[in-house]
Every structure is written in structure tokens, then in C-alpha cells.
Amino acid sequence: MKQLSMRIGLGVALCGLLASPATAALITYNFTGDVDHVHSQLTSSFSTSSSPTAMTGFVTLNTADTNTLDTKVGNYTVTNFKVTIGGYTATMGTSGLVEIKDGTPGLDRVTGTINSPNGANVNFLAPRLFDVQLRGPANTFTGDTLPTTAPSISAFTNFNRWRLVFGPGDGKVVRGTLTSLTAVPLPAAVVLFGAGLVALAGLGAGSWRQRKTNIIA
């Protein structure tokens, strides 16, 4: 019985470890968008007049809220990022942050920023910033927690914009609107927590078989 208790305790500990924020608190969102503006100095790599203007990408976030002082504003660290606009690709830069604000009417919003994304220079201009701003009515969010099911893009009726900024200042941009936002099924936290439960079940089954063998013997 003592051995059984020790195994169950080990399984519970494993389950808790796998589900801890440090190892399991990740969620990925996929997004798509269109392109409606290209600065004249960037037209060698981007266009608004042909099919390669489609934008796709993903962002992976740590679900631990780093803003513990405000229950209406959540700040979440970006751990991975990629965006493809036509034939151009930029990936995770020096840092990234997504803010969710459950605000007053008309001020519910999502703001995402990737600093110094990795990508090729265009006309000697390096990518400096990728950001997204979405604003919707007050019922878009009911708190500052990252949603495991992404809200519909159509909910952000007040403002919808993404942009990739090149060089100093904010004028040399490729920009457009998001057309979809989806959370990847089975976030890492769910998968790892499930693995902990399986491990716990396996430990219990092994102990049950051992006790049955001892009884028969």
C-alpha cells in the first residue's frame, strides 16, 4: 500500500509539473490577411495588385500574464513568430508582446508587436517592426485572459490593421487587415497535462497488476 501511495504521488507530481506555466503554458494563433498599401520604396518586393499579396502567419505566446497589477489588461510574451507576405518572410525578432485589454465600451482591443523581426532588407531598408491592432465593442472580451478559442475577426468592428515597418520612422510600411484568426487546437498545456494524466493512469495500472500477482502467489 505504501508503494502504491508513492507511485500515485509521483504521478500527481508529474502531472502538475507537465502542466506548470514554465513548461506547458503556450498557445499558438494562426492568422491571415490582405495587403492594401505598399510604400513606394518597397514595391520591389511587395504589391497590392496581384495574388502574391496574401499574408499568412502565426504567433506563439506564453499564457502567463506578466501584468499582475491590472485585471483588465493582460500582457503576454511572444515566444515564436512568422509572417509571409507574398514571397517575403519574416520571423521572430528580438522580442514580442501581445496585450489584451478588456476596456470601456469601444475599447476592447488586441495589440501585438514584434520588434526587429528577422527578414531580408528591401531597398536597403531592414524590417524594424511588425504589429497588429484590433479594436472591438466592449463585449469582445470578458477579461484579460488569452482566449483558447480566438474571437472572430468580424467582432473587431472599430479597427483592424496589421503592418510591417521598414527602416526608421513609421512611413515605410506594408499594411493591410486581418481576415482570419484561429487558435491552434490542443494547445501545448492541454497536450502535456493529458500526458501527465496518462502517466498517472499507467502508474496506477502497474501497481494494480503487481498487487494482483502478489495475491495469486
Side-chain angles (χ1 to χ4, degrees):
M1 181 61 70
K2 182 177 180 181
Q3 186 178 21
L4 174 61
S5 299
M6 291 178 62
R7 290 184 177 183
I8 291 177
L10 177 61
V12 172
L14 175 63
C15 189
L17 176 63
L18 290 174
S20 65
T23 59
L26 298 176
I27 188 167
T28 296
Y29 298 93
N30 293 329
F31 53 84
T32 63
D34 57 22
V35 178
D36 57 32
H37 172 81
V38 177
H39 188 273
S40 59
Q41 288 185 249
L42 306 175
T43 54
S44 60
S45 296
F46 304 98
S47 170
T48 60
S49 60
S50 59
S51 58
T53 61
M55 184 274 283
T56 62
F58 73 85
V59 61
T60 300
L61 307 175
N62 188 318
T63 60
D65 184 359
T66 60
N67 181 9
T68 58
L69 300 178
D70 192 337
T71 60
K72 292 292 187 178
V73 179
N75 293 333
Y76 301 93
T77 303
V78 177
T79 63
N80 200 6
F81 163 81
K82 180 179 179 181
V83 64
T84 300
I85 309 167
Y88 185 92
T89 296
T91 57
M92 184 62 194
T94 56
S95 62
L97 186 72
V98 169
E99 178 182 277
I100 289 183
K101 182 176 182 180
D102 179 19
T104 56
L107 292 180
D108 278 18
R109 67 180 64 189
V110 178
T111 303
T113 303
I114 306 296
N115 297 305
S116 301
N118 293 307
N121 289 5
V122 177
N123 198 17
F124 304 103
L125 298 170
R128 182 179 62 82
L129 179 75
F130 178 88
D131 68 6
V132 172
Q133 292 191 42
L134 302 171
R135 302 175 194 168
N139 60 353
T140 305
F141 298 113
T142 57
D144 65 355
T145 303
L146 280 174
T148 56
T149 300
S152 171
I153 284 297
S154 62
F156 298 100
T157 54
N158 294 345
F159 194 76
N160 176 343
R161 186 194 71 185
W162 67 266
R163 62 178 185 161
L164 180 60
V165 183
F166 287 81
D170 289 333
K172 300 174 181 64
V173 303
V174 180
R175 69 170 183 252
T177 59
L178 290 191
T179 54
S180 71
L181 178 65
T182 57
V184 175
L186 292 179
V190 176
V191 174
L192 291 176
F193 184 73
L197 293 177
V198 171
L200 177 58
L203 287 169
S207 178
W208 181 84
R209 286 193 297 270
Q210 181 64 42
R211 284 191 298 154
K212 183 177 179 181
T213 302
N214 291 339
I215 292 173
I216 294 175

